[in-house]
Amino acid sequence: MSTKSFTASDSRPELEDLEGENHWTQLARKHFNKPVETTKVKPDVIKKEIWDVLENEGFQFRSLLMLESLQLLENYLWPGYTEISTNHHVLLIALIATAKNRENLPVWDVFSEDPDRFSSVFRRVLSMSLDSHLSVVIRTHILSFLIAAFQSLDNGLIRKECAPLVSISIWQNLSAEDARERKLEQHAQLKKAWRAAAKRYESGDETSQAKLRFDRAWLYSMLLDFICRLQESSLGTWAYCMDVSTTPAEKATENSVYCERFIEFLTDLESQLPTRRFVTTLIKDLNILALIRSSSMFDGEGNGLFRDLFVLLRHFVNFPIDDNTGVQQTQIQSYEEHCARLARLQRASLKNFKDKLTILALSNHAAIDNRAELRAHFDPLSDEELVDLSKILGFRTRYPPSAKVQFGRELLLEVLLSYHERPRTFRESVKDLSILPTEATLYEPTLLRNEHYDGSRSLAIPKLNLQYLSVGDFLWRSFVLNRSECFFEIRKDMEETIKRLQPQYGQLPNAVCFDGFSRMAIPISKPALADSVHREWESLRPDDVVYLLAVVPIESSRDLTNGHAMHARSHDFGLRALRAAEVEQVLDENGRMIREVPEMEINGYVRRPRLRRLIVRFDTTAWQLDSKRKAEGKPDVYESLNVVIRRKGRENNFKKILETIKHLALSDIPVPDWLQGVFLGFGDPSSATYTKLPNGLNQLDFRDTFLDWPHLVESLPNRTVEATTSQEPSIKPPYILEGITTIPPEETSRPSKKRRRDDSEISLPVRKLIKVSTYRPPNNGPYPADAPKLNQVRFTQTQVEAIMSGTQPGLTVIVGPPGTGKTDVATQIINNIYHDFPAQRTLLVAHSNQALNQLFQKITKLDIDGRHLLRLGHGEEDLETDVSYSKSGRVESFLDNRSYYLAEVSRLAADVGAPGAHGNSCETAGYFNSVYVGPAWSNFWETADAADLTVSDVTIAFPFHQYFSDAPQPLFPPEATREQVIDIARGCQRHIERIFTELEDIRPFEILRTSRDKANYLLIKEARIIAMTSTHAAIRRQEIANSGFHYNNVIMEEAAQITEIENFIPLALQNPKDGQLPLQRVVLCGDHLQNSPIIQNLAFRQFANLEQSLFLRFVRLGVPTINLDHQGRARPSIAELYKWRYPNLDNLPNVMTEADYLRANAGFRYEYQFIDVPDYKGTGESQPSPHYIQNLGEAEYAVAIYQYMRLLGYSASKISILTTYAGQRALIRDVLGHRCAKNRLFGLPRIVTTVDKYQGEQNDYVILSLVRTTRVGYLRDIRRLTVALSRARLGLYILGRRSVFETNYELREAFVKLFRRPNKLLLTTGEMFPTHRLLEDEVEATEMTGVEHLGQYVFEMTKAKIESLKAGGDPLPAIEETPEVMRVDGEDEGEGLIEDVVDERQGEDMDGVT
């Protein structure tokens, strides 16, 4: 069989393939256009028309994708499967399921409704995985199916089938019973599990016993088969069934690919504790690592991937962890275990081979823990003595004949060396990995393999799984993957820039000139720049990373490859050398350091320094290596550097982020004990929730969470709510709830079976009693500003549940579908924590500046003192608030408040007649408070407490009448009772006390001199609510932690959009106290059914699962979630388009009753509609450059709809235009620029952007362009579709190609609803915005046949509008102001994108698919 079976075609099936007259579409129309009955499945169709065709073409991935798109699995294979189905039927199910997994599509959902039949399929696949009569290609596909299964252990259907295959029963296959007994003696739980497995086998019937025997032998048989392949590769023979047409080279390749997949499978088993617990012992017993390393396949010239996979497997097999307890060993424990192995070897050597191994026996451990030293010591032993030594040490020396293992000297030595050499720790491997790239690290073969991943071969990179072996393991994987992703992006940027520069040889010998241009690069010999580019290079600052390259013309570089793969690849782009450096200083032409962008304006001319001199700091490791090479007489790399390249600020933060991850990986940063088990994926997923923690609070003050008593009662439907005092309906908030925790039942012995049978009473659910008390909020003063800001949101039942959980200690995971108010919930949680726990500090984190600012702006409107708020990072300037919450802004605010409060002190001093300058400083104010104000209040309260005083006497005794003369008068109403007068006086006292409290907090800012000291004091001591983006946390982690910053609570918005390491870093943004992090609460808010983190490289996104967020992993692990279930954003009819993703989603009353939601959209027949856009001028989608996809017809249509809406009176700020591709975004902006930008009738919409960048945003009206006309493309990710459909409140108009989307299985739930309406745009004439027509009113409509028809209609409307304005003498309307820029995230922080509504189609700034 041809080796092409292992390569996947880059071309995926398009619409014309799925609708054309080819073999697969004809077969689909005939047999599986719709789900079939079991009796209609024909074995001949399965074998001859599907299987044979696939086999003859080598199981091309394109064909498998076509069959998957034609729903072969859903409509034919699965409905038609029975116990008597053929093996080809089963294999096709496995093949299509594997194709789905490679495309990152839901795999197991189709099987979920019939677990028994799925179990039958799975067992048959397991049996066929051992069938030596099947070809290696087919068995490789089966292995891929099993890998996908073992990566989905969160699915109960899969877990049930896979768990028995890696249970303790596999220890039946160990080489000796005494070896097994030694393992069982290590832990009592192992003995118990072993006895339970034996009992289960003995008590089973014949069928059950047969199944158990198969389960415990399956992995052992697979390992023996793998060993046999390794041995046959050494012998050059293959006894397995193969196509006779294949050549020996093709057979070797097929065998190599299978072995690579099998090592990947073993690595997956070893990388998760539940699957490695018993597997590691079997792997070590069979000497798998030694057998791999001693095989000829390991040394094969083209088997670099095989060797890299071995290194990865060895890393996990030797990972320092107790497989039974899951506890990671410390460095000392790991070394002691290694020394114990060496000591055992020394004792055996001295006892049995004293004559030959005396030196080995007497050597210190450091002298014999490396491979070379050990091998030299073993050389004197004969082959027979090596066998004897191996037996004495307990190594397996005999294998079943089927394994074909020949124990020669080299294999025996490898077994001994592999076991006794000192294993390399993950910290050592992290320490040796560089952070700044060179041409060698950018073009490492290991990294290059990841570049064009198509799923046909394994990759030697770690995966992010459901579970991790330890926190260190998680950090090691994260560092390796993030470093690889960063280097991939850097390499692409360098290659693109070099192409644009077009290097050529000049007239002088070896002189290189550049015929092209790039905004991101400067030839070092030609520093002159255009003004716009000059400004961009002025943004360079100290610590920024620049890249110095040695570039030569591409043609000449081909002669310099010398056959080396890495050189050949880098030289393909003319890159001879690359050195990264950090900017140390930026100097002007006079050698003076430039700190800020100069703004010296002379006679209207802004003068800038003519030259920029960069002092850079090279990577020390690369410098040392280069210096060594130069000393050896090789060319000096630095003399050949001729180009300097920069990257955009948001892309160039990689160094600081990687340094943070590396530092965490090298340290012993802990996760709080209460969270560690859940974080690693072990044990009870609910163990970190407040109901399971011992420190859960049984009583809490919920302040203004509940608006009134009915709101409180309806929010707790399953609990009995009782007031402790007075009549319940009259109790007003704030409410203190007692009895809110659910105490876990105590562990008791389980009753006997007889007792359970006799216990016939039916236990009724017990309604938990909640006792409610209230209190009178303190009077804070007589001024309106003293009144507290109260919550006005009537939270729903699930929102209240989320608020209660988030206020409690522990982990809270809140799933917030679109429009369900998760930001309001997070805000109220923060408010409750702030007031209930005044000594605690809270860290707010979000993925983007925009989301963080939205949350922060809501916080500023609550009853939270502004001096306790701090916003870090460069997105603070976009906050729509009156004051600045940045470090500098907060310091300035403190100093401004100082002036105000000291003036108030002066007023007080004048009131009491105290001589002196008491308002000069915080110190003098404190003296004045203790000497004058405090005694005045004491005297007053002594007088007021007298029982015989009247209300008038108390009022007269009040000492600060003059000071409060500017308060609303009268200060003491004449009709006030004594209690009311006393309450007013106490409010006045609190107002004055707050002045001196504020001044006491401001006092350190008088003492501290430098801005840095003041800012650090603010962060460490003063701020109680600190907000930052996840990227800022990653960049500044070390700086913030070293400053002594500590916090107790973390609340993350957009948690499902943040990669797992970005989720983790905010949890570790402080140094431990007494070996523990003082975290008490972690609240994650997000929606895993919307967009995930964006990872550019397909290998890291799909194979390594780098796009996994901690939020999604917690959901998969079964951590309890609180699912918000009422939306208040969109019309109910629009919400129906995505409600199928959220089965329990309902509507809030506002969308059912408010006028905006009841009225129709003026000028449109429907509030939402899918509009089928045919080819425009004979063209559908186009692709000017890779991944830069455009559709001119849809762009023109979108702009025409926008123009139509503007002519009817719709506000431009209420309209957003979204698209799924960045290329289309640029095209729409282009069309808008030509047709609307300078036309006062139209102007520009609120924003034109991609769906991905608009997550978390909304607008009244959305025009959505789907772009694709040949295949679904990236929209096949259901999460992206959910975001696209849920951005509109009142109107959604979707432009696309109906034939592309109507047959897609994953998206059908949404498009079925869309396609119920006509697919031509229907307009209603004679209406202007706003209309009085109701949504359900029937009205005649005009159909737009296409974009040309609508364009003509808009043209005539525009013409009529202008004529009408001229006739009436009215001027044209002013262009409506819309924001020119929407900043999604800080440009310096690497996560956002500046979205401009003007065209910026600069060549190299065109980004690809987002």
Side-chain angles (χ1 to χ4, degrees):
M1 186 173 294
S2 171
T3 58
K4 68 182 179 182
S5 56
F6 294 109
T7 60
S9 173
D10 289 335
S11 61
R12 280 167 162 70
E14 298 183 349
L15 181 63
E16 61 183 20
D17 299 314
L18 300 176
E19 293 185 344
E21 294 299 322
N22 56 66
H23 174 73
W24 300 126
T25 54
Q26 292 176 1
L27 196 66
R29 295 189 196 107
K30 185 176 180 181
H31 296 289
F32 48 91
N33 255 348
K34 57 184 179 180
V36 300
E37 298 176 3
T38 303
T39 55
K40 293 186 178 180
V41 173
K42 300 177 181 179
D44 283 349
V45 173
I46 295 287
K47 174 66 171 67
K48 296 179 180 178
E49 299 192 49
I50 302 178
W51 178 263
D52 288 349
V53 176
L54 287 172
E55 189 173 35
N56 289 336
E57 66 182 24
F59 300 101
Q60 287 187 7
F61 189 57
R62 177 184 171 85
S63 294
L64 292 175
L65 279 184
M66 280 198 65
L67 291 172
E68 189 280 322
S69 299
L70 293 169
Q71 301 174 36
L72 173 66
L73 177 62
E74 294 84 357
N75 289 350
Y76 196 72
L77 295 178
W78 178 239
Y81 174 77
T82 64
E83 292 281 353
I84 62 172
S85 295
T86 64
N87 285 346
H88 295 109
H89 192 143
V90 175
L91 288 170
L92 283 173
I93 290 176
L95 284 172
I96 302 300
T98 305
K100 277 180 169 288
N101 185 66
R102 280 174 59 174
E103 289 295 286
N104 212 22
L105 298 172
V107 180
W108 314 113
D109 293 351
V110 67
F111 306 113
S112 59
E113 294 181 359
D114 198 337
D116 292 336
R117 277 202 307 145
F118 176 74
S119 180
S120 170
V121 170
F122 197 85
R123 305 295 298 184
R124 291 182 65 177
V125 171
L126 290 176
S127 298
M128 283 187 279
S129 68
L130 299 172
D131 189 352
S132 60
H133 295 89
L134 294 176
S135 69
V136 181
V137 174
I138 295 172
R139 292 183 69 183
T140 303
H141 284 294
I142 292 174
L143 197 53
S144 298
F145 173 83
L146 294 174
I147 289 172
F150 274 91
Q151 285 287 304
S152 306
L153 294 179
D154 56 308
N155 188 302
L157 192 72
I158 302 300
R159 189 167 57 249
K160 178 184 175 183
E161 302 301 328
C162 293
L165 303 176
V166 291
S167 69
I168 196 171
S169 298
I170 65 175
W171 283 5
Q172 290 277 2
N173 306 291
L174 296 182
S175 58
E177 191 167 334
D178 59 336
R180 181 169 59 245
E181 289 301 321
R182 284 196 301 271
K183 293 295 296 182
L184 295 176
E185 288 292 335
Q186 293 179 359
H187 291 275
Q189 289 296 327
L190 291 177
K191 284 187 176 181
K192 184 177 179 180
W194 180 257
R195 287 195 297 267
K199 186 177 180 180
R200 187 165 54 251
Y201 178 80
E202 293 168 0
S203 62
D205 56 23
E206 186 175 343
T207 303
S208 299
Q209 288 183 347
K211 180 180 181 300
L212 292 172
R213 284 195 299 271
F214 177 87
D215 288 344
R216 71 192 186 193
W218 177 79
L219 182 58
Y220 177 69
S221 301
M222 292 287 286
L223 286 166
L224 291 180
D225 174 79
F226 172 66
I227 293 171
C228 182
R229 293 182 184 281
L230 293 175
Q231 300 304 307
E232 289 185 337
S233 70
S234 300
L235 299 174
T237 60
W238 290 271
Y240 295 94
C241 174
M242 291 193 182
D243 192 331
V244 295
S245 64
T246 57
T247 65
E250 291 173 336
K251 291 179 181 180
T253 301
E254 292 172 354
N255 200 55
S256 295
V257 173
Y258 177 87
C259 290
E260 290 165 1
R261 278 288 182 207
F262 193 80
I263 295 180
E264 178 194 342
F265 174 63
L266 292 181
T267 304
D268 286 352
L269 295 182
E270 286 292 298
S271 63
Q272 299 188 93
L273 187 62
T275 52
R276 76 171 272 135
R277 180 168 281 125
F278 308 114
V279 171
T280 303
T281 301
L282 184 60
I283 287 177
K284 290 182 177 179
D285 179 77
L286 287 168
N287 304 316
I288 294 296
L289 294 179
L291 288 165
I292 294 174
R293 185 157 185 167
S294 62
S295 67
S296 62
M297 191 180 297
F298 184 85
D299 296 322
E301 182 179 352
N303 289 336
L305 174 59
F306 184 82
R307 289 187 288 273
D308 290 342
L309 285 166
F310 163 78
V311 171
L312 190 61
L313 174 62
R314 182 180 61 186
H315 165 86
F316 282 111
V317 170
N318 293 329
F319 195 86
I321 188 174
D322 187 320
D323 291 333
N324 301 293
T325 64
V327 176
Q328 180 180 327
Q329 297 174 340
T330 64
Q331 289 181 319
I332 294 176
Q333 290 172 332
S334 178
Y335 186 70
E336 287 176 349
E337 185 178 287
H338 166 66
C339 291
R341 291 195 295 267
L342 290 177
R344 184 164 172 259
L345 171 64
Q346 289 177 317
R347 289 194 298 270
S349 301
L350 191 61
K351 181 178 179 180
N352 300 281
F353 305 97
K354 185 176 181 179
D355 295 340
K356 296 184 178 181
L357 298 181
T358 301
I359 297 178
L360 170 65
L362 299 179
S363 298
N364 66 70
H365 293 160
I368 59 172
D369 66 355
N370 68 78
R371 175 174 287 265
E373 290 287 343
L374 273 173
R375 187 179 183 101
H377 286 296
F378 289 137
D379 282 342
L381 297 180
S382 65
D383 293 356
E384 292 77 12
E385 288 171 327
L386 283 173
V387 172
D388 292 340
L389 178 59
S390 298
K391 289 180 179 179
I392 293 169
L393 294 172
F395 295 114
R396 181 192 285 263
T397 57
R398 298 185 63 183
Y399 290 81
S402 61
K404 301 183 180 179
V405 176
Q406 298 180 2
F407 251 106
R409 182 178 184 84
E410 287 302 316
L411 178 55
L412 288 167
L413 285 171
E414 186 57 45
V415 169
L416 292 169
L417 295 175
S418 297
Y419 184 75
H420 292 103
E421 68 177 337
R422 183 171 179 265
R424 185 177 175 81
T425 67
F426 72 89
R427 287 191 177 92
E428 290 172 337
S429 62
V430 166
K431 192 174 182 179
D432 290 344
L433 289 174
S434 63
I435 289 177
L436 291 176
T438 65
E439 79 284 357
T441 53
L442 285 183
Y443 289 91
E444 286 179 353
T446 303
L447 294 180
L448 292 178
R449 289 192 208 102
N450 305 329
E451 188 166 334
H452 299 293
Y453 172 74
D454 58 15
S456 61
R457 299 285 289 264
S458 296
L459 293 176
I461 53 177
K463 300 177 183 178
L464 298 186
N465 295 334
L466 273 175
Q467 299 167 322
Y468 301 108
L469 302 180
S470 68
V471 175
D473 172 44
F474 161 72
L475 291 168
W476 172 79
R477 299 190 207 194
S478 298
F479 179 73
V480 171
L481 292 174
N482 280 275
R483 175 180 179 269
S484 300
E485 169 77 358
C486 290
F487 280 17
F488 165 79
E489 293 176 358
I490 292 171
R491 184 170 69 248
K492 288 301 179 185
D493 286 349
M494 298 301 110
E495 291 173 355
E496 181 65 23
T497 302
I498 293 173
K499 283 182 181 178
R500 292 180 182 278
L501 287 174
Q502 300 177 21
Q504 303 292 336
Y505 278 122
Q507 297 179 352
L508 298 176
N510 296 323
V512 178
C513 61
F514 298 92
D515 293 346
F517 169 75
S518 172
R519 302 168 67 91
M520 312 306 290
I522 306 175
I524 294 176
S525 59
K526 295 169 61 179
L529 293 173
D531 185 67
S532 61
V533 183
H534 204 306
R535 289 180 178 270
E536 294 177 7
W537 280 85
E538 281 180 345
S539 64
L540 281 178
R541 290 292 177 269
D543 295 330
D544 285 352
V545 178
V546 294
Y547 307 85
L548 292 100
L549 281 65
V551 178
V552 297
I554 296 175
E555 292 78 9
S556 63
S557 67
R558 292 173 183 166
D559 299 331
L560 305 173
T561 61
N562 212 18
H564 197 284
M566 183 274 294
H567 286 179
R569 185 59 199 263
S570 62
H571 280 246
D572 285 346
F573 297 92
L575 176 61
R576 296 287 296 275
L578 180 147
R579 295 295 178 268
E582 294 178 88
V583 176
E584 183 75 17
Q585 290 181 343
V586 183
L587 307 178
D588 63 11
E589 64 267 28
N590 298 316
R592 293 176 298 195
M593 187 164 57
I594 300 174
R595 297 185 181 274
E596 300 293 338
V597 178
E599 292 293 343
M600 296 175 290
E601 186 170 328
I602 303 173
N603 296 327
Y605 173 72
V606 178
R607 180 185 178 278
R608 298 189 187 91
R610 293 182 299 107
L611 297 175
R612 283 285 191 279
R613 180 176 293 113
L614 300 182
I615 308 298
V616 297
R617 181 173 62 251
F618 284 102
D619 180 29
T620 55
T621 303
W623 180 272
Q624 290 173 354
L625 292 175
D626 292 334
S627 300
K628 183 178 179 181
R629 292 175 56 191
K630 183 179 178 181
E632 295 172 352
K634 296 180 180 178
D636 186 355
V637 170
Y638 299 93
E639 292 181 357
S640 63
L641 300 176
N642 55 1
V643 173
V644 59
I645 296 179
R646 66 179 177 89
R647 299 174 75 214
K648 295 178 182 178
R650 64 176 182 268
E651 300 166 347
N652 211 25
N653 293 316
F654 77 96
K655 179 180 181 292
K656 294 179 180 178
I657 294 174
L658 290 181
E659 282 179 341
T660 293
I661 304 174
K662 186 173 185 177
H663 182 271
L664 290 171
L666 294 175
S667 65
D668 290 314
I669 194 76
V671 172
D673 290 340
W674 60 269
L675 183 61
Q676 180 158 343
V678 174
F679 178 82
L680 295 178
F682 303 154
D684 181 6
S686 64
S687 61
T689 56
Y690 76 95
T691 58
K692 297 290 185 72
L693 294 177
N695 61 338
L697 303 172
N698 199 42
Q699 178 177 299
L700 273 175
D701 182 357
F702 283 93
R703 297 181 56 78
D704 57 351
T705 302
F706 305 101
L707 302 186
D708 48 42
W709 182 264
H711 183 207
L712 170 63
V713 174
E714 70 190 29
S715 299
L716 305 170
N718 298 320
R719 299 176 184 178
T720 301
V721 181
E722 289 184 1
T724 56
T725 59
S726 74
Q727 297 297 318
E728 293 175 353
S730 63
I731 297 181
K732 296 182 179 180
Y735 297 125
I736 298 176
L737 273 59
E738 183 179 353
I740 54 178
T741 56
T742 302
I743 307 300
E746 294 184 4
E747 292 292 334
T748 58
S749 58
R750 190 178 181 186
S752 65
K753 290 183 179 179
K754 183 177 186 298
R755 172 75 178 274
R756 294 200 302 270
R757 286 195 301 267
D758 293 342
D759 189 7
S760 58
E761 294 184 9
I762 300 175
S763 59
L764 298 175
V766 179
R767 291 172 62 88
K768 185 171 178 60
L769 176 63
I770 300 293
K771 294 183 178 181
V772 182
S773 59
T774 187
Y775 59 93
R776 185 175 181 179
N779 186 332
N780 291 323
Y783 298 95
D786 293 327
K789 303 172 186 175
L790 299 178
N791 163 57
Q792 301 298 323
V793 178
R794 196 174 188 87
F795 293 111
T796 66
Q797 176 189 335
T798 52
Q799 286 176 325
V800 167
E801 183 184 352
I803 292 168
M804 293 176 68
S805 177
T807 309
Q808 288 273 6
L811 172 66
T812 299
V813 180
I814 303 171
V815 179
T820 51
K822 58 180 179 290
T823 303
D824 289 326
V825 170
T827 303
Q828 190 62 30
I829 291 173
I830 294 163
N831 190 35
N832 288 350
I833 293 173
Y834 175 83
H835 289 285
D836 289 350
F837 309 96
Q840 295 188 8
R841 315 179 78 199
T842 301
L843 180 66
L844 304 185
V845 180
H847 169 63
S848 66
N849 273 312
Q850 186 175 350
L852 190 64
N853 287 345
Q854 288 176 351
L855 177 61
F856 203 79
Q857 282 163 199
K858 290 193 174 186
I859 293 172
T860 61
K861 298 176 183 178
L862 298 177
D863 189 28
I864 294 177
D865 198 328
R867 63 197 172 100
H868 293 143
L869 297 174
L870 179 62
R871 169 70 165 87
L872 300 181
H874 287 268
E876 188 274 338
E877 59 269 17
D878 296 326
L879 271 174
E880 298 175 4
T881 54
D882 296 330
V883 294
S884 173
Y885 289 95
S886 65
K887 278 186 179 181
S888 58
R890 285 291 81 205
V891 171
E892 291 174 6
S893 176
F894 269 87
L895 297 178
D896 290 341
N897 290 342
R898 172 183 177 273
S899 301
Y900 168 76
Y901 288 124
L902 289 177
E904 293 296 294
V905 170
S906 298
R907 284 184 57 215
L908 274 171
D911 190 7
V912 299
H918 299 290
N920 269 7
S921 68
C922 296
E923 183 178 3
T924 58
Y927 170 80
F928 169 71
N929 182 39
S930 60
V931 173
Y932 291 95
V933 178
W937 282 116
S938 298
N939 294 335
F940 168 72
W941 290 119
E942 285 180 10
T943 304
D945 288 342
D948 56 345
L949 256 64
T950 64
V951 172
S952 177
D953 293 335
V954 174
T955 302
I956 294 172
F958 185 73
F960 298 105
H961 279 287
Q962 181 181 347
Y963 176 78
F964 287 105
S965 60
D966 60 344
Q969 298 297 321
L971 184 62
F972 299 101
E975 69 279 4
T977 64
R978 178 185 174 89
E979 290 75 13
Q980 289 173 332
V981 169
I982 294 296
D983 184 61
I984 293 172
R986 292 197 183 278
C988 292
Q989 183 179 11
R990 292 189 184 95
H991 178 89
I992 292 176
E993 286 176 345
R994 188 164 60 252
I995 293 174
F996 293 102
T997 302
E998 294 262 5
L999 287 172
E1000 187 63 28
D1001 289 340
I1002 294 171
R1003 187 176 178 183
F1005 294 95
E1006 285 186 340
I1007 301 171
L1008 298 171
R1009 292 304 174 193
T1010 67
S1011 299
R1012 184 181 184 86
D1013 289 340
K1014 292 176 182 179
N1016 287 339
Y1017 178 85
L1018 179 71
L1019 173 65
I1020 299 166
K1021 297 293 184 182
E1022 192 63 32
R1024 287 176 51 196
I1025 298 175
I1026 303 95
M1028 66 184 75
T1029 63
S1030 57
T1031 308
H1032 185 85
I1035 293 172
R1036 303 293 182 188
R1037 189 265 163 194
Q1038 202 59 35
E1039 175 186 333
I1040 294 173
N1042 290 342
S1043 70
F1045 174 62
H1046 287 284
Y1047 53 97
N1048 310 90
N1049 316 297
V1050 174
I1051 297 178
M1052 292 191 199
E1053 262 278 36
E1054 297 182 322
Q1057 284 186 268
I1058 305 175
T1059 61
E1060 199 158 3
I1061 187 63
E1062 290 177 304
N1063 285 128
F1064 177 82
I1065 290 173
L1067 304 182
L1069 210 58
Q1070 55 188 329
N1071 292 325
K1073 284 183 176 180
D1074 301 324
Q1076 287 292 323
L1077 296 179
L1079 272 182
Q1080 294 189 26
R1081 293 172 186 81
V1082 175
V1083 180
L1084 304 180
C1085 304
D1087 184 5
H1088 59 290
L1089 299 180
Q1090 296 188 60
N1091 282 343
S1092 62
I1094 297 175
I1095 304 299
Q1096 298 294 337
N1097 186 286
L1098 184 65
F1100 305 131
R1101 184 169 70 246
Q1102 290 190 3
F1103 183 87
N1105 205 20
L1106 187 55
E1107 69 171 1
Q1108 174 175 271
S1109 66
L1110 182 64
F1111 188 96
L1112 174 60
R1113 187 164 69 88
F1114 278 172
V1115 172
R1116 292 181 64 196
L1117 284 168
V1119 172
T1121 61
I1122 300 172
N1123 300 285
L1124 306 183
D1125 55 6
H1126 282 75
Q1127 72 89 24
R1129 171 189 294 172
R1131 296 183 193 268
S1133 55
I1134 293 178
E1136 285 292 327
L1137 297 176
Y1138 54 86
K1139 184 179 176 181
W1140 60 281
R1141 293 285 282 161
Y1142 311 96
N1144 298 321
L1145 187 63
D1146 208 341
N1147 301 301
L1148 287 171
N1150 68 301
V1151 300
M1152 311 292 288
T1153 58
E1154 291 181 5
D1156 284 347
Y1157 294 98
L1158 298 178
R1159 284 197 297 260
N1161 294 339
F1164 293 92
R1165 173 64 184 87
Y1166 298 109
E1167 74 280 16
Y1168 71 83
Q1169 195 175 357
F1170 181 94
I1171 303 154
D1172 189 24
V1173 181
D1175 286 354
Y1176 179 64
K1177 297 182 178 179
T1179 303
E1181 69 177 64
S1182 59
Q1183 195 168 178
S1185 60
H1187 306 298
Y1188 198 72
I1189 301 173
Q1190 298 179 330
N1191 185 321
L1192 181 59
E1194 289 188 17
E1196 293 281 4
Y1197 215 132
V1199 173
I1201 292 176
Y1202 168 72
Q1203 290 177 302
Y1204 172 72
M1205 296 177 72
R1206 293 289 290 128
L1207 291 171
L1208 294 184
Y1210 287 87
S1211 170
S1213 63
K1214 299 296 183 182
I1215 305 172
S1216 295
I1217 302 179
L1218 306 182
T1219 181
T1220 50
Y1221 289 86
Q1224 184 73 349
R1225 176 189 60 192
L1227 182 59
I1228 293 173
R1229 288 176 176 175
D1230 217 6
V1231 177
L1232 282 168
H1234 283 90
R1235 304 197 188 283
C1236 303
K1238 298 180 181 179
N1239 192 320
R1240 295 185 181 182
L1241 290 176
F1242 305 120
L1244 295 172
R1246 170 69 181 86
I1247 194 170
V1248 180
T1249 187
T1250 59
V1251 170
D1252 289 351
K1253 293 297 179 183
Y1254 208 57
Q1255 180 165 341
E1257 289 295 295
Q1258 60 178 314
N1259 210 343
D1260 286 358
Y1261 307 97
V1262 169
I1263 304 168
L1264 173 63
S1265 171
L1266 302 183
V1267 186
R1268 303 307 297 267
T1269 59
T1270 58
R1271 60 175 181 265
V1272 175
Y1274 289 99
L1275 203 64
R1276 195 171 186 186
D1277 186 336
I1278 308 174
R1279 299 170 297 185
R1280 184 172 276 109
L1281 177 68
T1282 304
V1283 176
L1285 297 178
S1286 59
R1287 299 305 97 196
R1289 293 179 62 246
L1290 304 175
L1292 175 63
Y1293 302 98
I1294 304 173
L1295 307 170
R1297 185 66 59 87
R1298 175 168 181 164
S1299 55
V1300 171
F1301 296 97
E1302 64 182 346
T1303 59
N1304 187 270
Y1305 177 76
E1306 287 77 23
L1307 310 181
R1308 63 180 178 181
E1309 290 288 342
F1311 283 98
V1312 161
K1313 294 181 176 66
L1314 287 168
F1315 294 151
R1316 287 173 185 162
R1317 295 183 172 179
N1319 57 12
K1320 298 293 184 183
L1321 180 63
L1322 295 181
L1323 305 180
T1324 57
T1325 58
E1327 284 185 331
M1328 295 295 290
F1329 179 86
T1331 182
H1332 297 291
R1333 176 168 57 93
L1334 298 179
L1335 198 59
E1336 63 272 13
D1337 291 348
E1338 292 293 332
V1339 64
E1340 292 187 5
T1342 301
E1343 180 181 282
M1344 296 291 106
T1345 58
V1347 61
E1348 296 90 347
H1349 187 184
L1350 179 61
Q1352 181 63 31
Y1353 188 62
V1354 168
F1355 172 75
E1356 293 172 358
M1357 285 183 65
T1358 306
K1359 186 177 178 182
K1361 180 78 170 180
I1362 294 174
E1363 291 176 354
S1364 174
L1365 290 172
K1366 288 180 178 179
D1370 297 328
L1372 288 173
I1375 295 179
E1376 183 177 338
E1377 291 187 5
T1378 56
E1380 293 185 0
V1381 175
M1382 182 184 77
R1383 189 172 186 139
V1384 177
D1385 201 351
E1387 186 176 358
D1388 69 315
E1389 295 181 353
E1391 294 297 337
L1393 178 70
I1394 295 180
E1395 298 283 1
D1396 299 312
V1397 296
V1398 296
D1399 180 43
E1400 281 194 356
R1401 296 184 64 199
Q1402 303 291 347
E1404 69 177 14
D1405 288 338
M1406 293 183 183
D1407 49 347
V1409 176
T1410 57

